[in-house]
């Protein structure tokens, strides 16, 4: 009778196990997949064990297939959706949705890149370079633009729902004014930068960009999912930054994608992929000078191997 009860308990536990992910202890640092170990652009990372081919901490590509052991499911953080999914099996590309449509600009697709004015003091207009994309997460983003030859100062204007302010400056980058109201959730704003030049021409060079802040629900959902993801795998700092950057890029949040990698660069990261990806992001944002700077750092750290090649730098030349 006792033996039968034990068998019944084991049978019940096996049924329960099919409905929960097969968890294990946090992967050791050496068990975490790094980007230089795969030959594709990853679309997400496994958070739990339970797959036949991949363990927790693995980066997965579009063509990879999920094959669950003993039923149940695995948890997978999908960059394009910015959240954790329960996967029961199938091809990753079918399970993890496609990212928001955006430019495929990189050194292999230069025709898709913005046409920057340069980032040097001979531009003919103060082209806005930050925020790096129109869609933004932050409420008080920094604002930057290309310098204009002969400009003595600049006027920065922002207008939209509940906001109307103007700042005069002789700099080419300013923080969002502390004494002004922040950007509101779900609203659009018009940002304009004018260059003051001593000329008889009444039309001063200017540049305009429309900023769209995410809705409160979108911001909260993304922040909550990212917060949970940070605590699950205890990823190395560079891999976590790259995961977050890929997530932001997939959401078309180029400003946040750049900033998370810039923080690693300021912390003296030695990972060539951090700088290579920063180069790609700056190229996409139309800042050729910073793209070239980061590609050179990546090249030096990788000793000319891996993804970064000298041809990347040559392609940046006009």
């Amino acid at each position: 009778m006792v033996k039968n009860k034990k068998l019944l308990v084991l049978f019940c536990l096996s049924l329960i196990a099919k409905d929960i992910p097969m968890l294990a202890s946090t992967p050791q640092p050496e068990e975490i997949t790094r980007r230089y170990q795969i030959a594709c652009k990853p679309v997400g990372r496994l958070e739990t064990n339970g797959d036949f081919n991949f363990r927790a901490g693995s980066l997965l590509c579009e063509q990879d297939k999920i094959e669950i052991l003993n039923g149940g499911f695995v948890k997978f953080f999908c960059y394009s959706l910015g959240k954790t999914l329960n996967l029961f099996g199938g091809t990753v590309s079918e399970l993890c949705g496609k990212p928001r449509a955006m430019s495929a600009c990189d050194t292999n697709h230069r025709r898709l890149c913005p046409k920057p004015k340069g980032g040097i003091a001979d531009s003919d207009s103060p082209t806005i370079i930050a925020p790096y994309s129109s869609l933004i997460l932050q409420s008080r983003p920094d604002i930057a633009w290309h310098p204009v030859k002969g400009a003595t100062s600049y006027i920065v204007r922002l207008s939209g729902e509940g906001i109307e302010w103007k700042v005069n400056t002789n700099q080419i980058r300013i923080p969002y004014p502390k004494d002004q109201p922040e950007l509101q959730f779900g609203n659009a704003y018009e940002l304009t930068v004018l260059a003051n030049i001593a000329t008889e021409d009444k039309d001063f060079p200017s540049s305009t960009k429309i900023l769209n802040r995410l809705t409160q629900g979108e911001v909260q959902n993304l922040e909550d999912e990212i917060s949970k993801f940070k605590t699950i795998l205890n990823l190395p700092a560079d891999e976590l930054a790259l995961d977050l950057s890929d997530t932001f890029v997939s959401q078309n949040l180029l400003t946040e994608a750049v900033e998370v990698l810039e923080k690693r660069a300021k912390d003296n990261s030695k990972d060539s992929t951090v700088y290579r990806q920063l180069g790609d992001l700056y190229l996409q944002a139309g800042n050729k000078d910073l793209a070239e700077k980061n590609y050179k750092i990546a090249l030096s750290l990788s000793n000319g191997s891996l993804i970064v090649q000298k041809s990347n730098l040559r392609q940046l030349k006009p």
Side-chain angles (χ1 to χ4, degrees), residues 6-7 22 28 79 102 122 130 144 153 163 190 213 257 312:
K6 287 184 178 179
L7 290 173
M22 297 184 65
Q28 296 300 309
Y79 300 146
M102 63 190 304
D122 60 358
S153 64
I163 293 179
E190 183 175 89
R213 193 178 181 209
N312 288 53

Side-chain angles (χ1 to χ4, degrees), residues 199-219:
T199 176
E200 296 180 356
D201 192 344
K202 295 181 180 180
D203 295 325
F204 293 137
S206 66
S207 176
T208 299
K209 177 179 261 186
I210 302 299
L211 305 181
N212 293 279
R213 193 178 181 209
L214 294 179
T215 65
Q216 185 172 6
E218 289 174 322
V219 171

Side-chain angles (χ1 to χ4, degrees), residues 14-313:
S14 68
L15 291 178
I16 295 172
K18 290 184 178 182
D19 295 323
I20 61 174
M22 297 184 65
L23 300 177
S25 58
T26 302
Q28 296 300 309
E30 63 272 13
E31 295 177 325
I32 299 293
T33 307
R34 268 69 166 182
R35 278 161 174 75
Y36 68 82
Q37 296 174 311
I38 59 176
C40 70
K41 181 70 173 175
V43 296
R45 191 184 292 272
L46 271 184
E47 296 180 352
T48 60
N49 286 318
D51 181 80
F52 184 78
N53 299 302
F54 305 102
R55 61 191 177 192
S58 295
L59 289 168
L60 299 188
C61 307
E62 286 187 346
Q63 72 275 13
D64 289 331
K65 292 184 178 180
I66 298 296
E67 298 180 50
I68 304 300
L69 291 169
N70 301 321
F73 60 91
V74 291
K75 287 185 174 293
F76 175 73
F77 188 80
C78 172
Y79 300 146
S80 64
L81 298 179
K83 66 179 182 180
T84 297
L85 305 175
N86 295 332
L87 302 187
F88 297 84
T91 304
V92 173
S93 61
E94 298 172 351
L95 305 169
C96 181
K98 293 184 178 180
R100 297 173 187 260
M102 63 190 304
S103 168
C105 166
D106 56 34
T107 51
N108 296 318
H109 303 89
R110 292 196 63 208
R111 64 182 180 80
L112 298 176
C113 298
K115 304 301 181 185
K117 295 297 181 181
I120 53 177
D122 60 358
S123 301
D124 56 11
S125 68
T127 305
I128 298 170
I129 54 176
Y132 300 106
S133 59
S134 292
L135 197 64
I136 58 174
L137 182 68
Q138 303 171 28
S139 61
R140 295 178 176 274
D142 285 355
I143 301 168
W145 55 93
H146 286 316
V148 175
K149 184 177 181 179
T152 56
S153 64
Y154 301 90
I155 299 173
V156 182
R157 293 175 178 164
L158 186 69
S159 60
E161 183 69 29
I163 293 179
E164 188 73 43
W165 55 258
K166 179 174 70 174
V167 171
N168 290 283
T169 180
N170 58 5
Q171 304 298 313
I172 58 171
R173 187 181 189 95
I174 63 169
Y176 192 97
K178 294 181 179 180
D179 60 344
Q180 297 296 334
E182 64 183 20
L183 304 182
Q184 299 302 303
F185 294 116
N187 285 337
Y189 301 89
E190 183 175 89
L191 174 64
T192 301
V193 177
L194 295 94
N196 287 320
I197 298 178
T199 176
E200 296 180 356
D201 192 344
K202 295 181 180 180
D203 295 325
F204 293 137
S206 66
S207 176
T208 299
K209 177 179 261 186
I210 302 299
L211 305 181
N212 293 279
R213 193 178 181 209
L214 294 179
T215 65
Q216 185 172 6
E218 289 174 322
V219 171
Q220 191 63 57
N221 288 339
L222 185 58
E223 290 180 345
D224 287 348
E225 290 289 342
I226 286 176
S227 179
K228 288 188 292 185
F229 176 68
K230 285 180 177 180
T231 64
I232 291 175
L233 292 174
N234 192 27
L235 294 171
D238 288 327
E239 282 301 315
L240 176 59
L242 288 162
D243 278 3
L244 296 180
S245 179
D246 279 340
T247 300
F248 289 135
V249 168
S250 294
Q251 300 295 309
N252 241 353
L253 296 167
L254 196 57
T255 299
E256 287 73 16
V258 168
E259 289 182 352
V260 73
L261 294 183
E262 277 290 1
K263 185 177 185 303
R264 290 303 305 144
K266 289 178 181 178
D267 289 342
N268 200 30
S269 168
K270 300 301 181 184
D271 189 327
S272 65
T273 309
V274 168
Y275 299 95
R276 189 269 302 166
Q277 191 152 313
L278 258 179
D280 288 346
L281 294 176
Y282 277 126
L283 187 62
Q284 185 163 328
N287 196 321
K288 184 179 68 174
D289 292 346
L290 285 178
E292 184 172 6
K293 172 187 173 182
N294 282 281
Y295 282 143
K296 286 181 177 179
I297 296 174
L299 186 63
S300 67
L301 290 173
S302 67
N303 295 318
S305 61
L306 305 179
I307 299 174
V308 182
Q309 304 294 333
K310 292 181 180 179
S311 59
N312 288 53
L313 292 170

